Amino acid sequence: MSAPSNFDVIDTVLGFDRFADLKALREQRTKLKHLTQTSYQAALCPAEPRNFSYPLRAALAARMVALWKSQELVAHYHALLDSAEGGSEFRAIADPASGVAGINSRLAAILAHVDLVTLSPKDATRTNIDNLAAAGLDDRDIVALAGLIAFVNYQVLVVAGLKMLRDN
């Protein structure tokens, strides 16, 4: 699940091929653009996904961008989820409005944490991390989840800012 080296998620979801001035603006920050895309690859498509499969990562990302109502990114992450082997099994996770009945305590703790940190990060405490550990996540899992949450929420903010420039 990796993208071509010249692929940039943010340029693509915002349709910057049709906006030469904005594409040129982004090219003025080539290093930042490259680091953002590299962070995307690390968060969503690491060489070793360990206990967070690629479809689970895509579903959690889709959930976070849906909470933000970032339609461009929702479409991207749904497509990523749909293209992943076994992605359909994670479709309900991607929609924060759907009730995810019958999920295990590990996944319930992950979803609760994702929602909390996305919607109210200042309310997250050590207890929330302890809940993840109690649900069976080890330190590496917790760090991987934190990285995914941090990246996707950062990406949403970058897309929102660039979208305002594009649409005004």
Side-chain angles (χ1 to χ4, degrees):
M1 249 180 83
S2 65
S5 61
N6 62 346
F7 177 78
D8 182 84
V9 171
I10 292 172
D11 284 355
T12 302
V13 300
L14 290 173
F16 276 5
D17 286 343
R18 299 183 320 267
F19 298 92
D21 55 335
L22 291 172
K23 191 164 181 126
L25 178 68
R26 286 215 63 218
E27 293 304 326
Q28 290 178 17
R29 301 280 191 231
T30 303
K31 185 173 182 178
L32 181 59
K33 181 178 174 178
H34 171 74
L35 291 173
T36 298
Q37 187 60 28
T38 301
S39 296
Y40 170 88
Q41 287 296 128
L44 276 296
C45 310
E48 177 51 52
R50 289 197 67 229
N51 294 320
F52 288 95
S53 68
Y54 298 130
L56 177 57
R57 289 168 186 265
L60 293 172
R63 182 183 189 88
M64 286 180 268
V65 299
L67 289 168
W68 278 100
K69 298 177 177 49
S70 177
Q71 294 311 311
E72 296 85 2
L73 286 170
V74 166
H76 169 75
Y77 284 116
H78 279 215
L80 185 64
L81 181 59
D82 291 343
S83 71
E85 185 176 331
S88 61
E89 296 172 35
F90 295 89
R91 203 63 150 121
I93 294 168
D95 181 4
S98 74
V100 189
I103 62 171
N104 61 47
S105 61
R106 179 182 182 273
L107 185 53
I110 291 168
L111 296 180
H113 190 71
V114 164
D115 292 356
L116 173 69
V117 176
T118 298
L119 296 173
S120 304
K122 67 182 171 89
D123 294 336
T125 67
R126 177 66 199 187
T127 301
N128 301 107
I129 300 300
D130 293 341
N131 291 343
L132 291 172
L137 278 73
D138 64 22
D139 289 346
R140 287 179 64 189
D141 292 337
I142 293 168
V143 169
L145 181 60
L148 177 66
I149 293 168
F151 173 74
V152 172
N153 283 284
Y154 158 80
Q155 184 185 44
V156 166
L157 297 174
V158 171
V159 166
L162 290 170
K163 183 178 175 183
M164 286 181 6
L165 286 174
R166 182 195 71 188
D167 295 347
N168 290 317

